[in-house]
Amino acid sequence: MINRKKHVIKMAHQLFIEKGFQATSIQDILDYSGISKGTFYNYFSSKTELLIELFKTLFSEMEEKRNALLSEGDPSNIDIFINQLELQLKINEENKINALFEEVHFSNDNELKEFIKKRQITNLYWLYKRFIDLFGKDKKPYLLDCAIMFIGILQHLVKYYNLTYQPNYHRVVKYSVERIKLIIGEISTNGVQLIQPEMFQLFSIDGALHIPNYQQQIMRIIAEIKESVPVSNKVNELLDFIHDEISYSKKPRKYLIASAVSSLREEKEVNIHFVEKLTEVIEKI
Amino acid sequence: MINRKKHVIKMAHQLFIEKGFQATSIQDILDYSGISKGTFYNYFSSKTELLIELFKTLFSEMEEKRNALLSEGDPSNIDIFINQLELQLKINEENKINALFEEVHFSNDNELKEFIKKRQITNLYWLYKRFIDLFGKDKKPYLLDCAIMFIGILQHLVKYYNLTYQPNYHRVVKYSVERIKLIIGEISTNGVQLIQPEMFQLFSIDGALHIPNYQQQIMRIIAEIKESVPVSNKVNELLDFIHDEISYSKKPRKYLIASAVSSLREEKEVNIHFVEKLTEVIEKI
DNA sequence: CCTAAATTATACTATTAGTATAAAATATTT
DNA sequence: AAATATTTTATACTAATAGTATAATTTAGG
């Protein structure tokens, strides 16, 4: 029964893709996934919260795959970067993430709006960091501007390219990268800056963003635990809490996480080996 | 009573700005603008249709002001272009058009989606044409790509600039224009093309877009008539029909418009001079 | 086999979009 | 000015849907 919640999210995702988020009623989701209303509200407090959970899983998967492309590779290798972008665009399309994203801008739900905003900033930060990898630390002052422009260029070109031709992400990404390379060269020669990278501090995710090491490690361990054995409700809840706290809190509450881990230790289904690794990593937060 | 409908749109606009489109119920609009439900549904078939009418008026006003900046000026003067962009960004902000736009992507309403899509394409086309004015016909094959990239750059820079600093549209526009100038130079030297300008034909607004002369003239005459004297319901309906047919139809139905004009001729409140001018222009369609 | 938790079925409330209609107010025509 | 047509209002109604409440049933685990 532990996968029921995931199953509901999956079914809802399908409905959202087919009919759109708005047009899918909760009753539709109940019918399609074969649960009762009570169960639904036991899992989620609203349709919006279901959507947020859907986004979280999709983004986690995407980030994992994206980072896997780079692991052990050379961060300054631009072909890897291009592969990462292509991958993201493809996953986006497969899951209609963009469509959902757009559909969702409407919401009066502040939690959702904040979630999406943070997501965009985090994504921008990733790009900024990758640009530093690719083009060198000396160009730092200009690379935020460039990252912003690059997102704009890429998104708009993809949109109109796909309106006109069959999608060809490789071509569009390469084209976009060529343009931004030119701009980076010119801007850093002339020393023109528009927005200061200190901007990230405004969103107080700067801290969290600077130490993605432990975050990635923890997320990997959690994934391993879940794959190793079907876990109980309780374990699942604990793992999800840790995952979310790590991923979406400005400052993850270290002691709360430690407490969750020690509860995990009690559960025999979880290999003690994993718990040790978790404890170890969490101490470094 | 002729302005009541406009008054309702205005009041609704205020509510949309304050609370958002979604969060504003029809009852809110009724209370705020002091009309009854019956009247509302007499004016609009739904809240969405009201929104479309709001957009139409906002866009018309914006286009008029934007084009006024260029009238009699040199199309290749880049400072005029920069002024035009600044103006648009400011009007956008004042009326929260972007916010409404985003809020609205959600809708299951196909009419609205189509309306917005066409609006974006039309806007892109305007920019493409302006780029031809500014950078020369010889660069035509590359200027659609550049227009697309430019929109992306400008929109994203504005977004993040305004998140960080006080809005300074002049600065952001100038920065964006500098970048695109560089790209245009490089692209046209190397002869790289991504999307063909023939793309516009896909949206079959190509024809309509090529002859904006009569469109502008007619819209000006209509505005003049409405300003000259408070017009009756009937006249207003006729004028609005002509306006919409000119603005939003792929191929305006010439004879239908002529018929509307001849009905106008019967109305004594409308100065015959205007009717003559209209007739004259419509013959050229 | 027993207990606790999860799930179901069902009924209910509250909000809202949209329809229907008769009465009242306002315009228009003769 | 009276008659007629139209617009507007007030009101009551239907239908759809989100979310709450709860007793009965099922399932999982010790």
Side-chain angles (χ1 to χ4, degrees):
Chain A
M1 285 298 109
I2 195 55
N3 300 325
R4 266 169 73 94
K5 191 172 171 184
K6 280 186 184 167
H7 176 249
V8 175
I9 295 179
K10 202 171 157 187
M11 293 298 105
H13 188 191
Q14 283 183 22
L15 288 176
F16 293 164
I17 288 176
E18 278 169 34
K19 322 171 42 166
F21 176 73
Q22 264 288 317
T24 302
S25 73
I26 289 181
Q27 193 58 51
D28 290 337
I29 300 173
L30 304 185
D31 297 344
Y32 198 60
S33 55
I35 59 165
S36 74
K37 211 167 200 177
T39 307
F40 182 92
Y41 282 101
N42 184 23
Y43 290 156
F44 317 99
S45 70
S46 66
K47 201 172 62 166
T48 311
E49 200 173 276
L50 187 162
L51 184 68
I52 291 184
E53 295 220 22
L54 170 60
F55 278 144
K56 282 182 181 176
T57 58
L58 290 175
F59 294 153
S60 296
E61 283 170 29
M62 189 153 79
E63 275 172 32
E64 208 164 304
K65 287 179 190 162
R66 176 186 77 189
N67 296 341
L69 280 182
L70 182 60
S71 76
E72 315 296 312
D74 175 7
S76 68
N77 180 338
I78 201 147
D79 291 322
I80 294 181
F81 176 66
I82 290 175
N83 284 339
Q84 286 184 312
L85 292 174
E86 269 186 70
L87 176 84
Q88 291 188 83
L89 290 173
K90 273 178 197 149
I91 294 181
N92 249 308
E93 199 202 22
E94 278 164 19
N95 297 289
K96 308 281 176 206
I97 293 179
N98 273 336
L100 276 177
F101 234 73
E102 282 186 342
E103 251 209 86
V104 128
H105 261 290
F106 79 94
S107 168
N108 18 355
D109 188 317
N110 282 327
E111 196 193 347
L112 183 54
K113 274 187 173 169
E114 273 307 304
F115 174 78
I116 288 181
K117 190 175 159 189
K118 179 170 283 181
R119 159 77 194 170
Q120 287 176 332
I121 299 277
T122 310
N123 212 34
L124 178 62
Y125 192 77
W126 174 81
L127 190 63
Y128 169 65
K129 285 292 186 189
R130 291 293 283 119
F131 272 14
I132 295 175
D133 293 341
L134 290 162
F135 303 108
K137 283 188 183 169
D138 51 314
K139 304 215 169 65
K140 250 188 182 180
Y142 318 108
L143 291 180
L144 172 56
D145 291 334
C146 292
I148 294 171
M149 287 189 281
F150 182 77
I151 292 180
I153 289 172
L154 184 60
Q155 283 186 2
H156 276 72
L157 284 178
V158 164
K159 173 176 164 181
Y160 288 104
Y161 192 95
N162 290 356
L163 274 181
T164 315
Y165 311 109
Q166 288 298 310
N168 183 338
Y169 293 119
H170 186 69
R171 195 169 166 220
V172 181
V173 168
K174 283 207 84 165
Y175 180 94
S176 305
V177 168
E178 286 308 314
R179 297 321 130 217
I180 206 67
K181 271 161 82 175
L182 179 78
I183 289 184
I184 292 173
E186 184 257 355
I187 276 183
S188 51
T189 307
N190 297 337
V192 205
Q193 189 195 43
L194 192 66
I195 303 175
Q196 297 177 310
E198 285 69 27
M199 174 263 246
F200 286 114
Q201 286 160 12
L202 285 179
F203 304 98
S204 46
I205 39 176
D206 202 25
L209 290 169
H210 272 100
I211 22 173
N213 315 325
Y214 77 81
Q215 185 178 327
Q216 254 182 272
Q217 287 180 45
I218 291 176
M219 278 162 67
R220 190 152 302 166
I221 298 170
I222 290 176
E224 281 172 13
I225 295 175
K226 287 196 179 183
E227 278 163 22
S228 69
V229 61
V231 293
S232 70
N233 257 343
K234 184 179 173 187
V235 170
N236 204 57
E237 187 183 305
L238 288 168
L239 290 177
D240 284 348
F241 165 75
I242 298 173
H243 179 277
D244 286 2
E245 186 71 13
I246 294 290
S247 304
Y248 307 106
S249 279
K250 312 173 185 197
K251 291 204 169 192
R253 288 161 290 184
K254 184 176 170 179
Y255 299 108
L256 214 55
I257 296 175
S259 147
V261 173
S262 75
S263 299
L264 272 182
R265 195 183 292 273
E266 308 298 313
E267 307 297 316
K268 28 223 141 345
E269 59 195 295
V270 180
N271 191 320
I272 187 72
H273 168 65
F274 290 129
V275 180
E276 298 298 349
K277 273 213 287 186
L278 266 182
T279 314
E280 194 182 312
V281 180
I282 283 162
E283 268 168 14
K284 288 188 292 186
I285 297 184
Chain B
M1 287 295 107
I2 195 55
N3 300 324
R4 264 168 76 93
K5 191 172 173 184
K6 278 186 183 165
H7 177 249
V8 175
I9 295 179
K10 202 171 158 187
M11 294 297 104
H13 187 191
Q14 282 182 21
L15 289 175
F16 293 164
I17 289 177
E18 279 169 35
K19 322 172 41 166
F21 176 73
Q22 264 286 317
T24 302
S25 74
I26 289 181
Q27 193 58 51
D28 291 336
I29 300 174
L30 304 185
D31 297 343
Y32 198 61
S33 55
I35 59 165
S36 75
K37 210 167 201 177
T39 307
F40 182 92
Y41 281 102
N42 184 23
Y43 290 156
F44 316 101
S45 70
S46 67
K47 200 171 61 163
T48 312
E49 200 174 275
L50 187 162
L51 184 67
I52 291 184
E53 295 220 20
L54 170 61
F55 277 144
K56 282 182 182 175
T57 58
L58 290 175
F59 294 153
S60 297
E61 283 170 29
M62 188 152 80
E63 276 172 32
E64 207 164 304
K65 286 179 191 163
R66 176 186 77 189
N67 296 341
L69 280 182
L70 184 60
S71 76
E72 315 296 314
D74 175 8
S76 70
N77 179 339
I78 200 145
D79 290 322
I80 293 180
F81 175 65
I82 291 176
N83 285 339
Q84 286 184 311
L85 292 174
E86 270 187 70
L87 176 85
Q88 290 188 84
L89 290 173
K90 274 178 197 152
I91 294 180
N92 250 307
E93 200 202 22
E94 278 163 21
N95 297 288
K96 309 279 176 208
I97 292 179
N98 272 337
L100 276 176
F101 234 73
E102 282 185 343
E103 250 209 87
V104 126
H105 261 292
F106 78 95
S107 167
N108 16 356
D109 187 317
N110 282 327
E111 197 194 347
L112 183 54
K113 275 188 171 166
E114 274 306 305
F115 174 79
I116 288 180
K117 190 174 161 190
K118 178 171 286 180
R119 158 77 194 171
Q120 288 177 331
I121 299 277
T122 310
N123 212 35
L124 178 62
Y125 191 77
W126 174 81
L127 189 64
Y128 169 65
K129 286 292 187 188
R130 291 296 281 118
F131 272 14
I132 295 176
D133 294 338
L134 291 163
F135 303 108
K137 284 188 182 168
D138 53 313
K139 304 215 169 65
K140 251 188 180 180
Y142 317 108
L143 291 180
L144 172 56
D145 291 335
C146 293
I148 294 171
M149 287 189 280
F150 183 76
I151 292 180
I153 290 173
L154 184 60
Q155 282 185 3
H156 276 72
L157 284 179
V158 164
K159 174 177 165 180
Y160 288 105
Y161 193 94
N162 290 356
L163 274 181
T164 316
Y165 311 110
Q166 288 298 311
N168 182 338
Y169 293 121
H170 186 68
R171 194 168 167 220
V172 180
V173 168
K174 282 206 84 166
Y175 181 96
S176 305
V177 168
E178 286 308 313
R179 297 320 129 220
I180 208 66
K181 270 160 83 176
L182 179 79
I183 291 185
I184 291 173
E186 184 255 355
I187 276 183
S188 50
T189 307
N190 297 338
V192 205
Q193 189 195 45
L194 193 65
I195 303 176
Q196 296 175 311
E198 285 70 28
M199 175 261 246
F200 286 113
Q201 285 160 15
L202 285 179
F203 304 97
S204 44
I205 37 176
D206 203 25
L209 289 168
H210 271 102
I211 20 173
N213 314 324
Y214 76 82
Q215 186 178 327
Q216 255 182 274
Q217 288 180 43
I218 291 175
M219 278 163 65
R220 190 152 301 167
I221 298 171
I222 289 176
E224 281 172 13
I225 294 176
K226 287 195 179 183
E227 278 163 22
S228 69
V229 61
V231 292
S232 70
N233 257 344
K234 184 178 173 188
V235 171
N236 204 57
E237 188 183 303
L238 289 168
L239 291 177
D240 284 348
F241 165 75
I242 298 172
H243 179 277
D244 286 2
E245 187 71 14
I246 294 290
S247 304
Y248 306 106
S249 279
K250 311 171 186 200
K251 291 204 168 191
R253 288 162 290 184
K254 186 176 169 178
Y255 299 109
L256 215 55
I257 296 175
S259 145
V261 172
S262 74
S263 300
L264 272 182
R265 195 182 291 275
E266 308 298 314
E267 306 299 314
K268 39 238 137 327
E269 59 197 293
V270 180
N271 191 318
I272 187 71
H273 169 64
F274 290 130
V275 180
E276 297 299 349
K277 274 213 286 187
L278 267 181
T279 315
E280 193 183 309
V281 179
I282 284 163
E283 269 171 11
K284 289 190 290 186
I285 299 184

